Amino acid sequence: MLRFQSGYFGLRDNDAWIDEILDSLALADKANTNTRLLSGGMKRRVLVAQALVHKPPVIVLDEPTAGVDVELRQTLWAFIRRLNREGHTILLTTHYLEEAEALCNRVAMLKAGRVVALDHTANLLHSGDERRLEISLAPADQMPAMLLPRLVKQEGSLYVLRLLDYADLEGILTTLRTSGVAVVGMNLRQIDLEEVFIRIMGQESDA
């Protein structure tokens, strides 16, 4: 089928590229299988292969990693990055914010069919000065009430707190010490794209 697809674009002797696509999409062992017998996830990968077979300058990928396992997702990410490095412009739609952050130079966020944010990924990630402090406490359920307004989420003994600047860190640790709560683990990080998305969608709802 991919050879026929190549022929539609006047491409001959395209077997090496077809084999590379099949390997990159983990379809090599299904090269001679009727597509009607493939699983839904494999059919999606076949559609990606068809889109790539003639090496178009602009590639539109609609949720290419939906329904695939973690290992294959990483393989697809590496392949997409390589295509981009080789000069292909890629328009990617995805519900996975981690995927958008990992792959995209620019991100558009839509709500009800309307673009509510469009910028370089780095600019979106630094659109606010907020950071996140991830801390594990002992006792696990003794977060001081004074710090609860900073709480973003809690997963067991792990708390994620909103941090406006590094100067806040000393005040948080002092509050924990004076409350008799021990910090058994701590990590400081920038906000991720999912948190930016939630913030922007919340602002749109309030508007």
Side-chain angles (χ1 to χ4, degrees):
M1 181 179 66
L2 294 180
R3 290 192 180 94
F4 289 136
Q5 188 87 8
S6 293
Y8 295 153
F9 294 93
L11 298 176
R12 295 185 175 86
D13 301 321
N14 202 28
D15 287 357
W17 175 237
I18 290 173
D19 289 342
E20 191 170 345
I21 292 174
L22 292 175
D23 285 337
S24 297
L25 298 177
L27 288 170
D29 61 337
K30 303 294 183 182
N32 298 312
T33 303
N34 190 311
T35 54
R36 286 178 292 185
L37 302 178
L38 298 176
S39 67
M42 287 186 176
K43 287 178 181 177
R44 182 179 293 273
R45 279 180 266 160
V46 169
L47 292 175
V48 174
Q50 288 180 281
L52 298 176
V53 74
H54 61 292
K55 296 185 178 180
V58 179
I59 302 168
V60 180
L61 298 177
D62 183 16
E63 301 194 42
T65 63
V68 304
D69 60 42
V70 174
E71 184 177 3
L72 179 56
R73 181 174 298 166
Q74 293 295 328
T75 300
L76 288 171
W77 283 10
F79 190 44
I80 291 170
R81 288 191 184 101
R82 179 193 147 191
L83 290 170
N84 186 239
R85 285 196 305 270
E86 292 176 352
H88 298 271
T89 298
I90 299 174
L91 179 62
L92 172 74
T93 67
T94 181
H95 284 90
Y96 300 126
L97 277 299
E98 176 191 4
E99 181 167 83
E101 184 174 342
L103 297 178
C104 300
N105 297 320
R106 287 171 60 85
V107 171
M109 297 180 180
L110 284 76
K111 183 173 185 178
R114 183 171 60 89
V115 175
V116 296
L118 173 61
D119 206 340
H120 290 283
T121 308
N123 290 343
L124 288 169
L125 291 172
H126 294 90
S127 57
D129 293 329
E130 287 188 12
R131 295 169 179 82
R132 294 291 182 260
L133 176 64
E134 299 173 335
I135 52 175
S136 297
L137 304 179
D141 59 348
Q142 295 298 312
M143 173 62 70
M146 186 182 301
L147 297 179
L148 290 179
R150 294 179 176 272
L151 185 64
V152 176
K153 65 179 178 180
Q154 177 188 357
E155 296 176 354
S157 64
L158 177 67
Y159 293 82
V160 180
L161 301 180
R162 185 177 295 106
L163 198 67
L164 296 179
D165 55 47
Y166 290 113
D168 279 351
L169 181 58
E170 183 178 353
I172 291 172
L173 295 178
T174 298
T175 299
L176 291 170
R177 281 195 300 269
T178 56
S179 300
V181 181
V183 176
V184 297
M186 182 172 64
N187 179 50
L188 188 62
R189 64 170 175 82
Q190 295 284 350
I191 59 174
D192 58 29
L193 197 59
E194 180 176 345
E195 291 165 321
V196 173
F197 177 84
I198 292 171
R199 186 187 68 206
I200 290 174
M201 294 303 152
Q203 291 171 348
E204 287 297 313
S205 297
D206 295 339

Coordinates of all heavy atoms in Angstrom, one line a residue, residues 109-192:
M109 N -3.5 26.9 22.2 CA -4.5 26.3 23.1 C -5.9 26.7 22.6 O -6.1 27.9 22.4 CB -4.3 26.6 24.5 CG -2.9 26.1 25.0 SD -2.7 26.6 26.8 CE -1.1 25.9 27.1
L110 N -6.8 25.8 22.5 CA -8.2 26.1 22.0 C -9.2 25.8 23.1 O -9.0 24.8 23.9 CB -8.5 25.3 20.8 CG -7.9 25.7 19.4 CD1 -6.4 25.3 19.4 CD2 -8.7 25.1 18.3
K111 N -10.2 26.6 23.1 CA -11.4 26.3 24.0 C -12.6 26.6 23.2 O -12.8 27.8 22.7 CB -11.3 27.2 25.3 CG -12.4 26.9 26.3 CD -12.2 27.6 27.6 CE -13.3 27.1 28.6 NZ -13.2 27.8 29.9
A112 N -13.5 25.7 23.1 CA -14.8 25.8 22.4 C -14.5 26.3 21.0 O -15.2 27.2 20.4 CB -15.7 26.8 23.1
G113 N -13.4 25.8 20.3 CA -13.1 26.1 19.0 C -12.4 27.4 18.8 O -12.2 27.9 17.6
R114 N -12.1 28.1 19.9 CA -11.4 29.4 19.8 C -10.0 29.4 20.4 O -9.8 28.8 21.4 CB -12.3 30.4 20.6 CG -11.8 31.9 20.5 CD -12.8 32.8 21.1 NE -13.1 32.5 22.5 CZ -12.4 33.0 23.5 NH1 -11.4 33.9 23.3 NH2 -12.7 32.7 24.8
V115 N -9.1 30.0 19.7 CA -7.7 30.0 20.1 C -7.6 31.0 21.3 O -7.9 32.2 21.2 CB -6.7 30.4 19.0 CG1 -5.3 30.6 19.6 CG2 -6.7 29.4 17.9
V116 N -7.2 30.5 22.5 CA -7.1 31.4 23.7 C -5.7 31.6 24.1 O -5.4 32.5 24.9 CB -7.9 30.8 24.9 CG1 -9.4 30.7 24.6 CG2 -7.4 29.4 25.2
A117 N -4.8 30.9 23.4 CA -3.3 31.2 23.7 C -2.5 30.7 22.5 O -2.8 29.6 22.0 CB -2.9 30.5 25.0
L118 N -1.6 31.5 22.1 CA -0.7 31.1 21.0 C 0.7 31.7 21.2 O 0.8 33.0 21.2 CB -1.3 31.5 19.6 CG -0.4 31.3 18.4 CD1 0.0 29.8 18.2 CD2 -1.0 31.9 17.2
D119 N 1.7 30.9 21.5 CA 3.0 31.5 21.7 C 4.1 30.4 21.7 O 3.7 29.2 21.6 CB 3.0 32.1 23.1 CG 4.1 33.2 23.3 OD1 5.0 33.3 22.5 OD2 3.9 34.1 24.2
H120 N 5.3 30.8 21.7 CA 6.4 29.8 21.8 C 6.2 29.1 23.2 O 5.8 29.7 24.2 CB 7.8 30.5 21.8 CG 8.1 31.1 20.4 ND1 8.5 30.3 19.4 CD2 8.0 32.3 20.0 CE1 8.7 31.0 18.3 NE2 8.5 32.3 18.6
T121 N 6.5 27.8 23.1 CA 6.4 27.0 24.3 C 7.1 27.6 25.5 O 6.6 27.6 26.6 CB 6.8 25.6 24.0 OG1 6.2 25.1 22.9 CG2 6.5 24.6 25.2
A122 N 8.4 28.0 25.3 CA 9.2 28.6 26.4 C 8.5 29.8 27.0 O 8.5 30.0 28.2 CB 10.6 28.9 25.8
N123 N 7.9 30.6 26.1 CA 7.2 31.8 26.6 C 6.0 31.5 27.5 O 5.8 32.1 28.5 CB 6.8 32.7 25.5 CG 8.0 33.4 24.8 OD1 9.1 33.4 25.3 ND2 7.7 33.8 23.5
L124 N 5.3 30.5 27.1 CA 4.1 30.0 27.9 C 4.6 29.5 29.2 O 3.9 29.8 30.2 CB 3.3 28.9 27.1 CG 2.5 29.4 25.9 CD1 2.0 28.2 25.1 CD2 1.4 30.3 26.3
L125 N 5.7 28.7 29.2 CA 6.1 28.1 30.5 C 6.7 29.2 31.4 O 6.7 29.0 32.6 CB 7.2 27.1 30.2 CG 6.7 25.8 29.5 CD1 7.9 25.0 29.1 CD2 5.8 25.0 30.4
H126 N 7.1 30.3 30.9 CA 7.6 31.4 31.7 C 6.7 32.6 31.7 O 7.1 33.7 32.0 CB 9.0 31.8 31.2 CG 10.1 30.8 31.3 ND1 10.3 29.8 30.4 CD2 10.9 30.5 32.4 CE1 11.3 29.0 30.8 NE2 11.6 29.4 32.0
S127 N 5.4 32.4 31.4 CA 4.5 33.5 31.3 C 4.1 34.0 32.7 O 3.6 35.1 32.9 CB 3.2 33.0 30.6 OG 2.6 31.9 31.3
G128 N 4.4 33.2 33.7 CA 4.2 33.7 35.1 C 5.5 33.4 35.9 O 6.4 32.6 35.4
D129 N 5.7 34.0 37.0 CA 6.9 33.8 37.8 C 6.8 32.6 38.8 O 7.7 32.4 39.5 CB 7.2 35.1 38.6 CG 7.6 36.2 37.7 OD1 8.2 35.9 36.6 OD2 7.4 37.4 38.0
E130 N 5.6 32.0 38.7 CA 5.4 30.9 39.6 C 6.3 29.7 39.4 O 6.7 29.4 38.3 CB 3.9 30.4 39.6 CG 2.9 31.4 40.1 CD 1.5 30.7 40.2 OE1 1.4 29.5 40.0 OE2 0.6 31.5 40.4
R131 N 6.7 29.1 40.5 CA 7.4 27.8 40.5 C 6.6 26.8 41.4 O 5.6 27.2 42.0 CB 8.8 28.0 41.0 CG 9.7 28.9 40.1 CD 11.0 29.3 40.7 NE 11.8 30.1 39.8 CZ 11.6 31.4 39.7 NH1 10.7 32.0 40.4 NH2 12.3 32.1 38.8
R132 N 7.0 25.6 41.4 CA 6.4 24.6 42.2 C 7.4 24.0 43.2 O 8.5 23.6 42.8 CB 5.8 23.5 41.3 CG 4.6 24.0 40.4 CD 3.4 24.3 41.2 NE 2.3 24.8 40.4 CZ 2.0 26.0 40.2 NH1 2.7 27.0 40.8 NH2 0.9 26.4 39.5
L133 N 7.0 23.8 44.4 CA 7.8 23.2 45.4 C 7.1 21.8 45.7 O 5.9 21.8 46.2 CB 7.9 24.0 46.7 CG 8.6 23.4 47.9 CD1 10.1 23.1 47.5 CD2 8.5 24.2 49.1
E134 N 7.8 20.7 45.4 CA 7.2 19.4 45.8 C 7.9 18.9 47.0 O 9.1 18.8 47.1 CB 7.5 18.4 44.6 CG 6.9 18.9 43.3 CD 7.3 18.0 42.1 OE1 8.4 17.4 42.2 OE2 6.5 18.0 41.1
I135 N 7.1 18.7 48.1 CA 7.7 18.2 49.3 C 7.0 17.0 49.9 O 5.8 16.9 49.7 CB 7.7 19.4 50.4 CG1 6.3 20.0 50.5 CG2 8.7 20.4 50.1 CD1 6.2 21.0 51.6
S136 N 7.7 16.1 50.5 CA 7.2 15.0 51.2 C 7.4 15.3 52.7 O 8.5 15.6 53.1 CB 7.9 13.7 50.8 OG 7.6 13.4 49.4
L137 N 6.3 15.1 53.5 CA 6.3 15.4 54.9 C 6.2 14.2 55.8 O 5.6 13.2 55.4 CB 5.2 16.4 55.2 CG 5.2 17.7 54.3 CD1 4.0 18.5 54.7 CD2 6.5 18.5 54.5
A138 N 6.7 14.4 57.0 CA 6.4 13.4 58.1 C 6.1 14.2 59.4 O 6.9 15.0 59.8 CB 7.6 12.5 58.3
P139 N 4.9 14.0 60.0 CA 3.8 13.1 59.5 C 3.2 13.6 58.2 O 3.2 14.8 57.9 CB 2.8 13.2 60.6 CG 3.6 13.8 61.8 CD 4.6 14.6 61.2
A140 N 2.7 12.7 57.4 CA 2.3 13.0 56.0 C 1.1 13.9 56.0 O 0.8 14.6 55.0 CB 2.0 11.7 55.3
D141 N 0.2 13.9 57.1 CA -1.0 14.6 57.0 C -1.0 15.9 57.9 O -2.0 16.4 58.3 CB -2.2 13.7 57.5 CG -1.9 13.2 58.9 OD1 -0.8 13.4 59.4 OD2 -2.9 12.6 59.5
Q142 N 0.2 16.4 58.1 CA 0.3 17.6 59.0 C 0.8 18.8 58.3 O 1.6 19.6 58.8 CB 1.3 17.2 60.1 CG 0.9 16.1 61.0 CD -0.4 16.5 61.8 OE1 -0.5 17.6 62.3 NE2 -1.4 15.6 61.8
M143 N 0.2 19.1 57.1 CA 0.5 20.3 56.4 C -0.1 21.5 57.2 O -1.3 21.5 57.5 CB -0.1 20.3 55.0 CG 0.0 21.7 54.3 SD 1.7 22.2 54.0 CE 2.2 21.0 52.7
P144 N 0.8 22.5 57.6 CA 0.2 23.6 58.4 C -0.8 24.4 57.7 O -0.7 24.6 56.5 CB 1.5 24.5 58.7 CG 2.6 23.5 58.5 CD 2.2 22.5 57.5
A145 N -1.9 24.8 58.4 CA -3.0 25.5 57.8 C -2.5 26.8 57.1 O -3.1 27.2 56.1 CB -4.0 25.8 58.9
M146 N -1.5 27.4 57.6 CA -1.0 28.6 57.0 C -0.5 28.4 55.6 O -0.5 29.4 54.8 CB 0.2 29.2 57.9 CG 0.7 30.5 57.4 SD 2.1 31.0 58.5 CE 1.4 31.0 60.1
L147 N -0.1 27.2 55.2 CA 0.4 26.9 53.9 C -0.6 26.4 52.9 O -0.4 26.2 51.7 CB 1.6 25.9 54.0 CG 2.8 26.4 54.8 CD1 3.9 25.3 54.8 CD2 3.4 27.7 54.2
L148 N -1.8 26.1 53.4 CA -2.9 25.5 52.6 C -3.2 26.4 51.4 O -3.6 25.8 50.3 CB -4.1 25.1 53.4 CG -3.9 24.0 54.4 CD1 -5.2 23.7 55.2 CD2 -3.5 22.7 53.6
P149 N -3.3 27.7 51.5 CA -3.6 28.5 50.3 C -2.6 28.3 49.2 O -2.9 28.7 48.0 CB -3.5 30.0 50.9 CG -3.8 29.8 52.3 CD -3.2 28.5 52.7
R150 N -1.4 27.8 49.5 CA -0.4 27.6 48.5 C -0.5 26.2 47.8 O 0.1 26.0 46.8 CB 1.0 27.7 49.0 CG 1.4 29.0 49.6 CD 2.9 29.0 50.1 NE 3.4 30.2 50.6 CZ 4.0 31.1 49.8 NH1 4.2 30.8 48.5 NH2 4.4 32.2 50.3
L151 N -1.4 25.4 48.4 CA -1.4 24.0 47.9 C -2.1 23.9 46.5 O -3.2 24.4 46.3 CB -2.3 23.2 48.9 CG -2.4 21.7 48.6 CD1 -1.0 21.0 48.7 CD2 -3.3 21.0 49.6
V152 N -1.3 23.3 45.6 CA -1.8 23.0 44.2 C -2.4 21.7 44.2 O -3.5 21.5 43.6 CB -0.6 23.2 43.2 CG1 -1.1 22.8 41.8 CG2 0.0 24.5 43.3
K153 N -1.8 20.6 44.7 CA -2.3 19.3 44.8 C -1.6 18.5 45.8 O -0.5 18.8 46.2 CB -2.3 18.6 43.4 CG -0.9 18.3 42.8 CD -1.0 17.6 41.5 CE 0.4 17.4 40.9 NZ 0.3 16.7 39.6
Q154 N -2.2 17.4 46.2 CA -1.6 16.5 47.1 C -1.8 15.0 46.6 O -2.9 14.7 46.2 CB -2.3 16.6 48.5 CG -1.7 15.6 49.5 CD -2.5 15.6 50.8 OE1 -3.4 16.4 51.0 NE2 -2.1 14.7 51.8
E155 N -0.7 14.3 46.7 CA -0.8 12.8 46.4 C -0.1 12.1 47.5 O 1.1 12.0 47.5 CB -0.1 12.6 45.0 CG -0.8 13.3 43.8 CD 0.0 13.1 42.5 OE1 1.1 12.5 42.6 OE2 -0.5 13.5 41.5
G156 N -0.9 11.6 48.4 CA -0.4 10.9 49.6 C 0.4 11.8 50.5 O -0.1 12.9 50.9
S157 N 1.7 11.5 50.7 CA 2.5 12.4 51.5 C 3.2 13.5 50.7 O 4.0 14.3 51.3 CB 3.6 11.5 52.2 OG 4.5 10.9 51.3
L158 N 3.0 13.5 49.4 CA 3.6 14.5 48.5 C 2.7 15.7 48.3 O 1.5 15.5 47.9 CB 4.0 13.9 47.1 CG 4.6 14.9 46.1 CD1 6.0 15.3 46.6 CD2 4.6 14.2 44.7
Y159 N 3.2 16.8 48.6 CA 2.4 18.1 48.5 C 3.1 18.9 47.4 O 4.4 19.0 47.4 CB 2.4 18.9 49.8 CG 1.6 18.2 50.9 CD1 2.2 17.2 51.7 CD2 0.3 18.6 51.2 CE1 1.5 16.6 52.7 CE2 -0.4 18.0 52.2 CZ 0.2 17.0 52.9 OH -0.5 16.4 54.0
V160 N 2.3 19.6 46.6 CA 2.9 20.5 45.6 C 2.3 21.9 46.0 O 1.1 22.1 46.0 CB 2.4 20.1 44.1 CG1 3.0 21.1 43.1 CG2 2.8 18.7 43.8
L161 N 3.3 22.8 46.2 CA 2.9 24.1 46.7 C 3.3 25.2 45.6 O 4.3 25.0 44.9 CB 3.7 24.5 48.0 CG 3.4 23.5 49.2 CD1 4.2 24.0 50.4 CD2 1.9 23.5 49.5
R162 N 2.5 26.2 45.6 CA 2.8 27.4 44.7 C 3.9 28.2 45.3 O 3.9 28.6 46.5 CB 1.5 28.2 44.5 CG 1.6 29.3 43.5 CD 0.3 30.0 43.4 NE -0.7 29.1 42.8 CZ -1.7 28.6 43.5 NH1 -1.8 28.8 44.8 NH2 -2.6 27.8 42.8
L163 N 4.9 28.5 44.5 CA 6.0 29.3 45.0 C 6.2 30.5 44.0 O 6.4 30.4 42.9 CB 7.3 28.5 44.9 CG 8.5 28.9 45.8 CD1 8.2 28.8 47.3 CD2 9.7 28.0 45.4
L164 N 6.0 31.7 44.6 CA 6.1 32.9 43.7 C 7.5 33.3 43.4 O 7.8 33.8 42.3 CB 5.4 34.1 44.4 CG 3.9 33.9 44.6 CD1 3.3 35.1 45.4 CD2 3.2 33.7 43.3
D165 N 8.5 33.1 44.3 CA 9.9 33.4 44.0 C 10.7 32.5 45.1 O 10.2 31.9 46.0 CB 10.2 34.8 44.1 CG 9.8 35.5 45.4 OD1 10.1 34.9 46.5 OD2 9.2 36.6 45.4
Y166 N 12.0 32.5 44.8 CA 12.9 31.7 45.7 C 12.9 32.2 47.1 O 13.1 31.4 48.1 CB 14.3 31.7 45.1 CG 14.4 30.9 43.8 CD1 14.7 31.6 42.7 CD2 14.2 29.6 43.8 CE1 14.8 30.9 41.5 CE2 14.3 28.8 42.6 CZ 14.6 29.5 41.5 OH 14.7 28.8 40.3
A167 N 12.6 33.5 47.4 CA 12.5 34.0 48.7 C 11.4 33.3 49.5 O 11.5 33.3 50.8 CB 12.4 35.5 48.7
D168 N 10.4 32.9 48.8 CA 9.3 32.2 49.5 C 9.7 30.9 50.2 O 9.1 30.4 51.2 CB 8.1 31.8 48.6 CG 7.2 33.0 48.3 OD1 7.4 34.0 49.0 OD2 6.4 32.9 47.4
L169 N 10.8 30.3 49.7 CA 11.2 29.0 50.1 C 11.6 29.0 51.6 O 11.2 28.1 52.4 CB 12.3 28.4 49.3 CG 12.9 27.1 49.6 CD1 11.8 26.0 49.5 CD2 14.0 26.7 48.7
E170 N 12.3 30.0 52.0 CA 12.8 30.1 53.4 C 11.6 30.2 54.3 O 11.5 29.5 55.4 CB 13.7 31.3 53.6 CG 14.2 31.4 55.0 CD 15.2 32.6 55.1 OE1 15.5 33.2 54.1 OE2 15.6 32.8 56.3
G171 N 10.6 31.0 54.0 CA 9.4 31.2 54.8 C 8.6 29.9 54.9 O 8.1 29.5 56.0
I172 N 8.5 29.1 53.9 CA 7.8 27.8 53.9 C 8.5 26.8 54.8 O 7.8 26.2 55.7 CB 7.6 27.3 52.5 CG1 6.7 28.1 51.6 CG2 7.1 25.8 52.5 CD1 6.6 27.7 50.2
L173 N 9.8 26.7 54.7 CA 10.5 25.8 55.5 C 10.5 26.2 57.0 O 10.4 25.3 57.9 CB 12.0 25.7 55.0 CG 12.2 25.1 53.6 CD1 13.6 25.2 53.2 CD2 11.6 23.7 53.5
T174 N 10.5 27.5 57.2 CA 10.4 28.0 58.6 C 9.1 27.6 59.2 O 9.0 27.2 60.4 CB 10.6 29.5 58.7 OG1 12.0 29.8 58.2 CG2 10.5 30.0 60.1
T175 N 8.0 27.8 58.5 CA 6.7 27.4 58.9 C 6.6 26.0 59.2 O 6.0 25.6 60.3 CB 5.6 27.8 57.9 OG1 5.7 29.2 57.6 CG2 4.2 27.4 58.3
L176 N 7.2 25.1 58.4 CA 7.1 23.7 58.6 C 7.9 23.3 59.9 O 7.5 22.5 60.7 CB 7.7 22.9 57.4 CG 6.9 23.0 56.1 CD1 7.7 22.4 54.9 CD2 5.6 22.2 56.3
R177 N 9.1 23.9 60.1 CA 9.9 23.6 61.3 C 9.2 24.0 62.5 O 9.2 23.2 63.5 CB 11.3 24.3 61.2 CG 12.3 23.7 60.2 CD 13.7 24.2 60.5 NE 13.8 25.6 60.3 CZ 14.1 26.2 59.1 NH1 14.3 25.4 58.1 NH2 14.1 27.5 59.0
T178 N 8.6 25.2 62.6 CA 8.0 25.7 63.8 C 6.7 24.9 64.1 O 6.2 24.9 65.2 CB 7.6 27.2 63.7 OG1 6.8 27.4 62.5 CG2 8.9 28.0 63.6
S179 N 6.2 24.2 63.1 CA 5.0 23.4 63.3 C 5.3 22.0 63.6 O 4.4 21.1 63.8 CB 4.1 23.4 62.0 OG 3.7 24.7 61.7
G180 N 6.6 21.7 63.7 CA 7.1 20.3 64.1 C 6.9 19.3 62.9 O 6.8 18.1 63.2
V181 N 6.9 19.8 61.7 CA 6.7 18.9 60.6 C 8.1 18.7 59.9 O 8.7 19.7 59.5 CB 5.7 19.4 59.5 CG1 5.5 18.5 58.4 CG2 4.3 19.6 60.2
A182 N 8.5 17.5 59.6 CA 9.8 17.2 59.0 C 9.6 17.1 57.5 O 8.7 16.5 57.0 CB 10.4 16.0 59.6
V183 N 10.6 17.7 56.8 CA 10.6 17.5 55.3 C 11.5 16.3 55.0 O 12.7 16.3 55.3 CB 11.2 18.8 54.6 CG1 11.3 18.5 53.1 CG2 10.3 20.0 54.9
V184 N 11.0 15.3 54.4 CA 11.7 14.1 54.1 C 12.2 14.0 52.6 O 12.9 13.2 52.2 CB 11.0 12.8 54.4 CG1 10.7 12.7 55.9 CG2 9.6 12.7 53.7
G185 N 11.6 14.9 51.8 CA 12.0 15.0 50.4 C 11.5 16.3 49.8 O 10.5 16.9 50.2
M186 N 12.3 16.9 48.9 CA 12.0 18.2 48.4 C 12.5 18.4 47.0 O 13.6 17.9 46.6 CB 12.6 19.3 49.3 CG 12.2 20.7 48.8 SD 12.7 22.0 50.1 CE 14.5 21.8 50.0
N187 N 11.7 19.0 46.1 CA 12.1 19.2 44.7 C 11.5 20.6 44.3 O 10.3 20.8 44.5 CB 11.6 18.1 43.8 CG 12.0 18.4 42.3 OD1 13.2 18.7 42.0 ND2 11.1 18.3 41.4
L188 N 12.3 21.4 43.6 CA 11.9 22.7 43.2 C 11.9 22.7 41.6 O 12.9 22.3 41.0 CB 12.8 23.8 43.7 CG 12.4 25.3 43.4 CD1 11.1 25.6 44.1 CD2 13.5 26.2 43.9
R189 N 10.8 23.1 41.0 CA 10.7 23.0 39.6 C 9.9 24.2 39.0 O 9.1 24.8 39.7 CB 10.1 21.7 39.1 CG 8.7 21.5 39.5 CD 8.1 20.3 38.9 NE 6.7 19.9 39.3 CZ 5.6 20.5 38.9 NH1 5.7 21.5 38.0 NH2 4.4 20.2 39.4
Q190 N 10.0 24.4 37.7 CA 9.2 25.3 37.0 C 7.8 24.7 36.8 O 7.7 23.5 36.8 CB 9.8 25.7 35.6 CG 11.1 26.4 35.7 CD 10.9 27.9 36.1 OE1 9.8 28.4 36.1 NE2 12.0 28.5 36.3
I191 N 6.8 25.5 36.5 CA 5.5 25.0 36.2 C 5.6 24.3 34.8 O 6.4 24.6 34.0 CB 4.4 26.1 36.2 CG1 4.7 27.2 35.2 CG2 4.2 26.6 37.6 CD1 3.6 28.2 35.0
D192 N 4.7 23.3 34.6 CA 4.7 22.6 33.3 C 3.5 23.1 32.5 O 2.7 23.9 32.9 CB 4.7 21.1 33.5 CG 3.5 20.6 34.3 OD1 2.4 21.2 34.3 OD2 3.6 19.5 35.0

